[in-house]
Short mmCIF file of all heavy atoms in Angstrom, two decimals:
data_model
loop_
_atom_site.label_atom_id
_atom_site.label_comp_id
_atom_site.label_asym_id
_atom_site.label_seq_id
_atom_site.Cartn_x
_atom_site.Cartn_y
_atom_site.Cartn_z
N GLU O 12 17.84 46.93 -98.21
CA GLU O 12 18.52 48.04 -98.94
C GLU O 12 19.98 48.19 -98.60
O GLU O 12 20.28 48.15 -97.48
CB GLU O 12 17.75 49.24 -98.60
CG GLU O 12 17.98 50.46 -99.32
CD GLU O 12 17.04 51.68 -98.96
OE1 GLU O 12 16.56 51.64 -97.82
OE2 GLU O 12 17.08 52.57 -99.73
N ILE O 13 20.77 48.31 -99.61
CA ILE O 13 22.30 48.55 -99.43
C ILE O 13 22.50 50.03 -99.68
O ILE O 13 22.35 50.60 -100.69
CB ILE O 13 23.07 47.62 -100.43
CG1 ILE O 13 22.73 46.16 -100.21
CG2 ILE O 13 24.53 47.98 -100.30
CD1 ILE O 13 23.47 45.31 -101.27
N ILE O 14 23.05 50.62 -98.53
CA ILE O 14 23.55 51.97 -98.48
C ILE O 14 24.88 52.14 -97.90
O ILE O 14 25.11 51.73 -96.76
CB ILE O 14 22.42 52.92 -97.72
CG1 ILE O 14 21.06 52.77 -98.20
CG2 ILE O 14 22.91 54.28 -97.59
CD1 ILE O 14 19.94 53.44 -97.45
N GLU O 15 25.74 52.65 -98.73
CA GLU O 15 27.18 52.94 -98.32
C GLU O 15 27.76 51.69 -97.63
O GLU O 15 28.42 51.67 -96.66
CB GLU O 15 27.21 54.08 -97.15
CG GLU O 15 26.83 55.36 -97.91
CD GLU O 15 26.90 56.47 -96.80
OE1 GLU O 15 27.06 56.20 -95.61
OE2 GLU O 15 26.78 57.69 -97.18
N GLY O 16 27.57 50.47 -98.45
CA GLY O 16 28.24 49.26 -98.01
C GLY O 16 27.44 48.55 -96.92
O GLY O 16 28.03 47.36 -96.37
N LYS O 17 26.36 48.99 -96.40
CA LYS O 17 25.51 48.48 -95.27
C LYS O 17 24.21 47.81 -95.89
O LYS O 17 23.45 48.45 -96.55
CB LYS O 17 25.17 49.41 -94.23
CG LYS O 17 26.36 50.09 -93.58
CD LYS O 17 25.80 51.21 -92.64
CE LYS O 17 27.00 51.96 -92.07
NZ LYS O 17 26.32 53.19 -91.18
N LEU O 18 23.97 46.55 -95.54
CA LEU O 18 22.78 45.90 -95.93
C LEU O 18 21.76 46.03 -94.80
O LEU O 18 21.96 45.50 -93.67
CB LEU O 18 22.96 44.43 -96.29
CG LEU O 18 21.68 43.67 -96.59
CD1 LEU O 18 20.82 44.20 -97.77
CD2 LEU O 18 21.97 42.10 -96.87
N TYR O 19 20.72 46.87 -95.00
CA TYR O 19 19.73 47.06 -93.88
C TYR O 19 18.56 46.08 -94.09
O TYR O 19 18.19 45.59 -95.12
CB TYR O 19 19.07 48.47 -94.07
CG TYR O 19 20.05 49.67 -93.66
CD1 TYR O 19 20.89 50.19 -94.52
CD2 TYR O 19 20.04 50.09 -92.26
CE1 TYR O 19 21.77 51.16 -94.09
CE2 TYR O 19 21.02 51.06 -91.84
CZ TYR O 19 21.88 51.52 -92.81
OH TYR O 19 22.62 52.63 -92.35
N GLY O 20 17.88 45.79 -92.88
CA GLY O 20 16.78 44.94 -92.85
C GLY O 20 16.74 44.10 -91.58
O GLY O 20 17.77 43.67 -90.96
N LEU O 21 15.52 43.81 -91.10
CA LEU O 21 15.47 42.90 -89.89
C LEU O 21 16.07 41.52 -90.06
O LEU O 21 15.76 40.87 -91.13
CB LEU O 21 13.89 42.82 -89.64
CG LEU O 21 13.52 41.98 -88.30
CD1 LEU O 21 14.20 42.56 -87.05
CD2 LEU O 21 12.11 41.91 -88.23
N GLY O 22 16.93 41.12 -89.25
CA GLY O 22 17.57 39.80 -89.32
C GLY O 22 18.94 39.85 -90.13
O GLY O 22 19.53 38.85 -90.29
N ALA O 23 19.23 40.97 -90.73
CA ALA O 23 20.41 41.03 -91.53
C ALA O 23 21.68 40.71 -90.74
O ALA O 23 22.53 39.85 -91.21
CB ALA O 23 20.56 42.46 -92.18
N ASN O 24 21.70 41.12 -89.52
CA ASN O 24 22.89 40.97 -88.58
C ASN O 24 22.74 39.80 -87.86
O ASN O 24 23.63 39.11 -87.53
CB ASN O 24 23.09 42.26 -87.74
CG ASN O 24 24.23 42.16 -86.80
OD1 ASN O 24 25.37 42.25 -87.16
ND2 ASN O 24 23.97 41.88 -85.62
N ASP O 25 21.45 39.57 -87.21
CA ASP O 25 21.15 38.53 -86.30
C ASP O 25 20.04 37.62 -86.87
O ASP O 25 18.87 37.95 -86.63
CB ASP O 25 20.80 39.17 -84.98
CG ASP O 25 20.51 38.04 -83.84
OD1 ASP O 25 20.94 36.85 -84.07
OD2 ASP O 25 20.02 38.34 -82.77
N ALA O 26 20.44 36.56 -87.41
CA ALA O 26 21.65 36.07 -87.72
C ALA O 26 21.82 35.86 -89.27
O ALA O 26 22.43 34.81 -89.66
CB ALA O 26 21.91 34.67 -87.02
N GLY O 27 21.26 36.66 -90.09
CA GLY O 27 21.36 36.52 -91.51
C GLY O 27 22.77 36.34 -92.17
O GLY O 27 22.94 35.43 -92.92
N GLY O 28 23.61 37.30 -91.77
CA GLY O 28 24.98 37.12 -92.27
C GLY O 28 25.55 35.84 -91.97
O GLY O 28 26.34 35.29 -92.83
N ALA O 29 25.42 35.32 -90.75
CA ALA O 29 26.00 34.08 -90.33
C ALA O 29 25.34 32.91 -91.13
O ALA O 29 26.03 32.05 -91.59
CB ALA O 29 25.73 33.88 -88.88
N LEU O 30 24.14 32.93 -91.28
CA LEU O 30 23.26 31.94 -91.92
C LEU O 30 23.79 31.80 -93.28
O LEU O 30 23.98 30.60 -93.72
CB LEU O 30 21.79 32.17 -91.86
CG LEU O 30 20.87 31.08 -92.54
CD1 LEU O 30 21.10 29.72 -91.87
CD2 LEU O 30 19.42 31.53 -92.43
N VAL O 31 23.75 32.84 -94.05
CA VAL O 31 24.07 32.71 -95.43
C VAL O 31 25.48 32.31 -95.71
O VAL O 31 25.91 31.62 -96.66
CB VAL O 31 23.68 33.92 -96.32
CG1 VAL O 31 22.28 34.20 -96.35
CG2 VAL O 31 24.39 35.13 -95.86
N SER O 32 26.31 32.83 -94.87
CA SER O 32 27.88 32.36 -94.96
C SER O 32 27.93 30.89 -94.85
O SER O 32 28.69 30.12 -95.51
CB SER O 32 28.67 33.06 -93.79
OG SER O 32 28.71 34.42 -94.03
N MET O 33 27.24 30.26 -93.76
CA MET O 33 27.29 28.83 -93.61
C MET O 33 26.60 28.05 -94.75
O MET O 33 27.16 27.07 -95.20
CB MET O 33 26.59 28.54 -92.24
CG MET O 33 27.44 28.97 -91.06
SD MET O 33 26.60 28.51 -89.48
CE MET O 33 28.04 28.62 -88.39
N ILE O 34 25.44 28.53 -95.32
CA ILE O 34 24.85 28.01 -96.40
C ILE O 34 25.71 27.88 -97.56
O ILE O 34 25.94 26.85 -98.26
CB ILE O 34 23.55 28.57 -96.71
CG1 ILE O 34 22.47 28.30 -95.70
CG2 ILE O 34 23.00 28.25 -98.07
CD1 ILE O 34 21.12 29.11 -95.88
N MET O 35 26.50 29.05 -97.89
CA MET O 35 27.41 28.93 -99.03
C MET O 35 28.58 27.97 -98.74
O MET O 35 28.94 27.19 -99.73
CB MET O 35 28.00 30.42 -99.20
CG MET O 35 27.05 31.39 -99.58
SD MET O 35 26.06 30.90 -101.13
CE MET O 35 24.33 31.23 -100.51
N ALA O 36 29.14 27.83 -97.59
CA ALA O 36 30.17 26.88 -97.25
C ALA O 36 29.59 25.48 -97.49
O ALA O 36 30.34 24.59 -98.11
CB ALA O 36 30.76 27.10 -95.85
N PHE O 37 28.36 25.21 -96.87
CA PHE O 37 27.81 23.87 -97.09
C PHE O 37 27.64 23.52 -98.54
O PHE O 37 28.09 22.46 -98.98
CB PHE O 37 26.55 23.88 -96.40
CG PHE O 37 25.84 22.56 -96.48
CD1 PHE O 37 26.18 21.40 -95.77
CD2 PHE O 37 24.74 22.33 -97.34
CE1 PHE O 37 25.53 20.28 -95.83
CE2 PHE O 37 24.12 21.19 -97.50
CZ PHE O 37 24.44 20.15 -96.74
N THR O 38 27.13 24.48 -99.41
CA THR O 38 26.90 24.13 -100.75
C THR O 38 28.17 23.98 -101.48
O THR O 38 28.29 23.11 -102.46
CB THR O 38 26.10 25.23 -101.50
OG1 THR O 38 26.78 26.42 -101.34
CG2 THR O 38 24.65 25.32 -100.79
N HIS O 39 29.24 24.70 -101.07
CA HIS O 39 30.59 24.50 -101.77
C HIS O 39 31.03 23.20 -101.65
O HIS O 39 31.55 22.45 -102.46
CB HIS O 39 31.56 25.50 -101.21
CG HIS O 39 32.88 25.38 -101.71
ND1 HIS O 39 33.31 25.94 -102.80
CD2 HIS O 39 33.97 24.72 -101.21
CE1 HIS O 39 34.61 25.56 -103.08
NE2 HIS O 39 35.07 24.92 -102.11
N PHE O 40 30.76 22.49 -100.43
CA PHE O 40 31.46 21.22 -100.14
C PHE O 40 30.43 20.08 -100.30
O PHE O 40 30.80 18.86 -100.23
CB PHE O 40 31.95 21.15 -98.71
CG PHE O 40 33.26 21.98 -98.41
CD1 PHE O 40 33.10 23.23 -98.04
CD2 PHE O 40 34.46 21.45 -98.80
CE1 PHE O 40 34.23 24.03 -97.76
CE2 PHE O 40 35.46 22.24 -98.61
CZ PHE O 40 35.49 23.52 -98.09
N TYR O 41 29.21 20.36 -100.66
CA TYR O 41 28.11 19.43 -100.61
C TYR O 41 28.47 18.23 -101.58
O TYR O 41 28.28 17.02 -101.11
CB TYR O 41 26.84 20.05 -101.15
CG TYR O 41 25.74 19.00 -101.34
CD1 TYR O 41 25.11 18.44 -100.22
CD2 TYR O 41 25.38 18.51 -102.57
CE1 TYR O 41 24.13 17.38 -100.29
CE2 TYR O 41 24.45 17.43 -102.81
CZ TYR O 41 23.75 16.97 -101.65
OH TYR O 41 22.80 16.01 -101.76
N ASN O 42 29.04 18.45 -102.77
CA ASN O 42 29.21 17.39 -103.70
C ASN O 42 30.62 16.80 -103.66
O ASN O 42 31.01 15.99 -104.52
CB ASN O 42 28.93 17.89 -105.13
CG ASN O 42 27.53 18.04 -105.45
OD1 ASN O 42 26.73 17.17 -105.33
ND2 ASN O 42 27.06 19.23 -105.95
N MET O 43 31.39 17.27 -102.78
CA MET O 43 32.75 16.92 -102.75
C MET O 43 32.90 15.38 -102.18
O MET O 43 32.41 15.20 -101.15
CB MET O 43 33.68 17.83 -101.88
CG MET O 43 35.13 17.78 -102.13
SD MET O 43 35.93 19.10 -101.21
CE MET O 43 35.48 20.57 -102.47
N GLN O 44 33.70 14.65 -102.90
CA GLN O 44 33.93 13.23 -102.43
C GLN O 44 35.05 13.16 -101.54
O GLN O 44 35.93 14.05 -101.62
CB GLN O 44 34.01 12.31 -103.66
CG GLN O 44 32.77 12.17 -104.48
CD GLN O 44 32.91 11.05 -105.60
OE1 GLN O 44 33.27 10.00 -105.27
NE2 GLN O 44 32.58 11.34 -106.77
N ASN O 45 35.23 12.10 -100.85
CA ASN O 45 36.48 11.78 -100.02
C ASN O 45 36.73 12.83 -98.90
O ASN O 45 38.00 13.06 -98.64
CB ASN O 45 37.66 11.58 -100.89
CG ASN O 45 37.31 10.48 -101.89
OD1 ASN O 45 36.91 9.43 -101.56
ND2 ASN O 45 37.74 10.71 -103.20
N LEU O 46 35.69 13.64 -98.45
CA LEU O 46 35.90 14.46 -97.42
C LEU O 46 36.30 13.70 -96.22
O LEU O 46 35.67 12.55 -96.00
CB LEU O 46 34.70 15.40 -97.01
CG LEU O 46 34.51 16.48 -97.99
CD1 LEU O 46 33.06 17.19 -97.50
CD2 LEU O 46 35.65 17.57 -97.83
N PRO O 47 37.23 14.02 -95.30
CA PRO O 47 37.50 13.20 -94.05
C PRO O 47 36.51 13.46 -92.95
O PRO O 47 36.61 12.88 -91.96
CB PRO O 47 38.89 13.68 -93.70
CG PRO O 47 38.92 15.04 -94.15
CD PRO O 47 38.17 15.17 -95.53
N PHE O 48 35.50 14.34 -93.24
CA PHE O 48 34.47 14.59 -92.27
C PHE O 48 33.23 14.76 -92.97
O PHE O 48 33.20 15.13 -94.24
CB PHE O 48 34.84 15.77 -91.46
CG PHE O 48 35.21 16.96 -92.26
CD1 PHE O 48 34.17 17.81 -92.79
CD2 PHE O 48 36.51 17.28 -92.42
CE1 PHE O 48 34.58 18.94 -93.65
CE2 PHE O 48 36.91 18.42 -93.21
CZ PHE O 48 35.92 19.24 -93.90
N ASN O 49 32.04 14.64 -92.27
CA ASN O 49 30.76 15.09 -92.78
C ASN O 49 30.58 16.56 -92.45
O ASN O 49 30.80 16.99 -91.40
CB ASN O 49 29.58 14.23 -92.18
CG ASN O 49 29.75 12.76 -92.44
OD1 ASN O 49 29.97 12.24 -93.58
ND2 ASN O 49 29.76 11.95 -91.28
N LEU O 50 29.85 17.20 -93.39
CA LEU O 50 29.40 18.53 -93.10
C LEU O 50 27.86 18.58 -93.02
O LEU O 50 27.16 18.15 -94.08
CB LEU O 50 29.89 19.52 -94.20
CG LEU O 50 30.13 21.05 -93.89
CD1 LEU O 50 31.03 21.05 -92.65
CD2 LEU O 50 30.70 21.73 -94.99
N LEU O 51 27.22 19.16 -91.99
CA LEU O 51 25.82 19.19 -91.75
C LEU O 51 25.44 20.60 -91.73
O LEU O 51 26.12 21.45 -91.38
CB LEU O 51 25.43 18.47 -90.48
CG LEU O 51 26.20 17.00 -90.12
CD1 LEU O 51 25.82 16.60 -88.79
CD2 LEU O 51 25.86 16.09 -91.28
N LEU O 52 24.10 20.84 -92.03
CA LEU O 52 23.58 22.16 -92.11
C LEU O 52 22.23 22.17 -91.41
O LEU O 52 21.37 21.39 -91.67
CB LEU O 52 23.41 22.66 -93.45
CG LEU O 52 22.83 24.13 -93.61
CD1 LEU O 52 23.66 25.24 -93.13
CD2 LEU O 52 22.34 24.34 -95.06
N CYS O 53 22.10 23.21 -90.57
CA CYS O 53 20.82 23.36 -89.84
C CYS O 53 20.41 24.84 -89.86
O CYS O 53 21.09 25.60 -89.16
CB CYS O 53 20.73 22.84 -88.41
SG CYS O 53 19.11 23.00 -87.59
N ALA O 54 19.30 25.28 -90.74
CA ALA O 54 18.89 26.59 -90.51
C ALA O 54 17.61 26.56 -89.62
O ALA O 54 16.73 26.03 -90.03
CB ALA O 54 18.50 26.98 -91.96
N ALA O 55 17.92 27.02 -88.37
CA ALA O 55 17.01 26.75 -87.29
C ALA O 55 16.00 27.80 -87.15
O ALA O 55 16.03 28.93 -87.54
CB ALA O 55 17.75 26.49 -85.99
N ALA O 56 14.83 27.25 -86.45
CA ALA O 56 13.64 28.21 -86.19
C ALA O 56 13.78 28.40 -84.58
O ALA O 56 14.46 27.75 -83.88
CB ALA O 56 12.41 27.56 -86.63
#
């Protein structure tokens, strides 16, 4: 639930915000050719 700019819920802060930020970055670069580095993603348990 979003109230006054806050997203409430178990795991929202630890570590949901971190996880979805990283997933978005990974998906943004996933198809990019000629990157000078590999980008890896692990959503861990």
Side-chain angles (χ1 to χ4, degrees):
E12 188 175 19
I13 299 175
I14 300 175
E15 296 180 349
K17 301 174 183 177
L18 174 60
Y19 285 92
L21 180 63
N24 180 75
D25 184 13
L30 177 63
V31 297
S32 296
M33 289 182 162
I34 289 175
M35 293 309 129
F37 178 79
T38 57
H39 175 81
F40 290 96
Y41 174 76
N42 286 306
M43 197 170 292
Q44 297 188 49
N45 302 317
L46 283 175
F48 50 81
N49 299 308
L50 206 54
L51 316 174
L52 175 69
C53 181

